[in-house]
Amino acid sequence: DQIVGEFVAALAAKQPTPGGGAAAAVGAAVGAAAAAMAAAYTTRKKDRESGAAAAAEALIATLDTAAVLAAADADAVAYADLQRSWKDADMSAEEKAAVEARALAVPVQLVERCHAYVLAIQAFLPSCNPNITSDAKVGIHQLAGAARAAFQTALVNSPPAAERERLRGLLREMREVEEALLEGEACP
């Protein structure tokens, strides 16, 4: 658990970790937290009466900031293992393949989680306290950006073509949600 300034300084330093994967994970946590705050402000008496509070509570339960923050640590461990695999001449091909698979899985799972969170926030927006919808929208944009960053980390790990296309599809869906918000339209 680092203070934000310490994390940013460590990210900027000439050292292998934290790196882009951790930056993506922290960005996702910030996005999830912004949307969770908007949901927390949608639990007033009138929200309970209208049913909006139930939607808010469901969103809060969905947005697991600890899980996305854990991806920052998982990325550091996966990268350290990957570096070790490059230097360890005695490591078996099977073990190297397992290390490479873990290094790819961390950013892939982050893209998937960001996508799920964006869709959950989008579904919540019509119920959101109208005085704080901008924070829910910040959550969407932050999560979509974190997903794009995680995708770049995934690309470094050479995913199969089908996996790249699947992830690009998730990114396209998030971009459509963002574009609708930026145009001031109702979410698609």
Side-chain angles (χ1 to χ4, degrees):
D1 291 338
Q2 287 181 318
I3 296 173
V4 173
E6 292 172 359
F7 172 78
V8 170
L11 182 61
K14 185 180 178 182
Q15 58 190 26
T17 61
V26 170
V30 169
M37 180 197 36
Y41 275 101
T42 308
T43 57
R44 303 164 296 180
K45 181 181 178 187
K46 67 181 178 179
D47 297 321
R48 285 190 300 277
E49 292 167 356
S50 72
E57 290 163 1
L59 181 64
I60 291 167
T62 299
L63 300 174
D64 187 350
T65 56
V68 288
L69 277 177
D73 293 331
D75 181 72
V77 169
Y79 188 72
D81 288 346
L82 194 58
Q83 283 186 311
R84 185 175 50 83
S85 77
W86 297 332
K87 298 173 185 172
D88 187 346
D90 296 328
M91 187 180 285
S92 71
E94 294 80 20
E95 189 177 356
K96 284 185 181 192
V99 165
E100 291 168 358
R102 283 191 304 273
L104 176 60
V106 172
V108 165
Q109 290 167 359
L110 185 58
V111 171
E112 292 166 342
R113 189 175 293 266
C114 288
H115 177 262
Y117 287 3
V118 164
L119 295 184
I121 298 164
Q122 176 193 24
F124 166 72
L125 276 174
S127 301
C128 188
N129 175 336
N131 299 318
I132 198 157
T133 57
S134 63
D135 291 287
K137 293 173 183 178
V138 163
I140 287 173
H141 293 300
Q142 189 74 27
L143 284 157
R148 288 189 300 273
F151 178 71
Q152 290 302 312
T153 302
L155 288 179
V156 168
N157 293 295
S158 304
E163 182 67 345
R164 275 195 313 274
E165 283 311 306
R166 185 183 74 80
L167 294 172
R168 282 188 182 113
L170 298 179
L171 295 175
R172 278 191 294 276
E173 287 179 32
M174 287 183 277
R175 187 171 48 245
E176 289 171 6
V177 172
E178 283 191 289
E179 286 299 321
L181 294 177
L182 292 172
E183 295 298 323
E185 302 169 7
C187 285

